[in-house]
Amino acid sequence: MIIIKKDVLPSTNDFIKEHYESLDNYTIVRANYQTNGKGRLSRTWEALENNNILMSILVKEFNNRTDIHKLSIVTSMSVHKFLSKYLKNLYIKWPNDILVDNKKICGILLEGKINNNTQMVVIGIGININQLTFSDEIASLTTSLRKELNIEFDIDLLTEELVNILINDINEFLNGSDYFIDYVKTNLFGINQKIEYTRNNNLYEGIILDIDDEGRLIINENNQILYINSGEIKIKR
């Protein structure tokens, strides 16, 4: 494992995507600040300088495992494990956000190239650690470790702790383990609850029932059972 730490980057994910051919498997890239941090669905990831964990990890050895898209859910489990040492009332908001009660503390972005000639995945992780203020648009929906516990944390030490958990979980997944499915089911946000979500730009209501072995979300929408792949819906909180 190699950790590359930068003061400022446009995006840790973009840095790895630009240099992955020369980087070792499980290379970690960290930044104190990102000028173009990215979330899912082309959103911007908001983070103040020197306040948070902003990192990406490169995976390019897959041990013949073909369901690589599940790494986003594996990562959600790893971050949930890590934060559970400090916080209660933590939930995994499918497919890859971590909530404290109803407030977001972590986002995960999986990007990659999977074809005959190139296989690589970049997992981007943003965790709010010491940041106390957020823009008005997201302030009521966002939290951090420091906001929750009123303690200032050493980001370097926390990053090392997270990375050890993450690499262990990725290794277990690539060696054939699927125990992450049961873990996510146990900690899934909104399970057996009626939720609102956007699908095909339309607003719907449904009840989250479970996730299946493929990591798809199972929803009861007006007595119709739907199996939803990542990116097809946006769940409202």
Side-chain angles (χ1 to χ4, degrees):
M1 176 184 64
I2 297 172
I3 299 179
I4 299 171
K5 186 173 180 180
K6 299 286 188 179
D7 188 31
V8 179
L9 283 175
S11 158
T12 56
N13 266 29
D14 286 349
F15 181 91
I16 288 182
K17 288 191 295 182
E18 291 169 7
H19 301 283
Y20 74 91
E21 291 179 323
S22 62
L23 298 176
D24 292 337
N25 189 47
Y26 289 166
T27 294
I28 307 288
V29 176
R30 292 183 53 200
N32 292 327
Y33 181 67
Q34 294 181 124
T35 58
N36 189 33
K38 297 183 294 183
R40 290 183 65 245
L41 306 178
S42 301
R43 300 187 191 100
T44 298
W45 182 261
E46 178 184 315
L48 296 179
E49 186 172 0
N50 298 317
N51 271 255
N52 305 298
I53 292 177
L54 305 171
M55 59 163 277
S56 300
I57 181 170
L58 171 64
V59 184
K60 57 181 186 178
E61 296 175 11
F62 299 118
N63 294 357
N64 297 315
R65 185 127 193 182
T66 58
D67 50 351
I68 303 305
H69 63 281
K70 294 178 184 176
L71 278 172
S72 62
I73 304 176
V74 174
T75 304
S76 296
M77 174 186 69
S78 300
V79 176
H80 188 279
K81 285 182 185 178
F82 159 67
L83 288 172
S84 291
K85 296 183 178 182
Y86 304 96
L87 296 170
K88 298 180 179 180
N89 300 323
L90 276 174
Y91 301 96
I92 296 171
K93 177 174 168 282
W94 183 92
N96 47 14
D97 288 342
I98 307 298
L99 306 181
V100 183
D101 291 319
N102 205 38
K103 295 185 177 182
K104 184 171 179 176
I105 194 170
C106 170
I108 296 159
L109 177 63
L110 192 76
E111 298 182 286
K113 297 179 180 179
I114 306 293
N115 55 46
N116 292 333
N117 299 316
T118 303
Q119 290 200 349
M120 59 82 82
V121 166
V122 184
I123 305 169
I125 303 171
I127 306 177
N128 301 325
I129 302 297
N130 290 323
Q131 186 163 334
L132 293 174
T133 60
F134 299 87
S135 66
D136 291 342
E137 182 181 1
I138 65 170
S140 64
L141 299 172
T142 307
T143 191
S144 68
L145 270 181
R146 189 173 179 183
K147 284 188 72 173
E148 294 295 319
L149 301 175
N150 198 29
I151 299 170
E152 187 170 1
F153 289 87
D154 185 315
I155 294 174
D156 289 339
L157 291 178
L158 290 187
T159 302
E160 182 178 344
E161 182 181 338
L162 170 62
V163 165
N164 288 333
I165 295 171
L166 178 61
I167 290 179
N168 181 72
D169 287 340
I170 292 174
N171 277 330
E172 290 203 13
F173 167 72
L174 295 178
N175 287 323
S177 172
D178 285 323
Y179 85 97
F180 67 94
I181 292 288
D182 287 335
Y183 186 99
V184 173
K185 287 181 179 184
T186 301
N187 297 285
L188 191 63
F189 170 76
I191 195 161
N192 296 323
Q193 298 177 22
K194 182 176 286 188
I195 51 98
E196 289 185 327
Y197 53 93
T198 303
R199 177 165 52 84
N200 299 326
N201 295 318
N202 294 311
L203 186 64
Y204 296 89
E205 285 188 345
I207 297 174
I208 295 178
L209 301 179
D210 209 340
I211 61 171
D212 69 5
D213 290 343
E214 295 302 312
R216 297 178 299 179
L217 190 69
I218 306 173
I219 291 180
N220 182 337
E221 182 184 294
N222 295 324
N223 295 320
Q224 179 183 5
I225 305 301
L226 303 180
Y227 293 81
I228 307 295
N229 289 305
S230 175
E232 291 183 344
I233 69 170
K234 176 185 175 185
I235 298 173
K236 298 185 69 176
R237 285 178 277 152

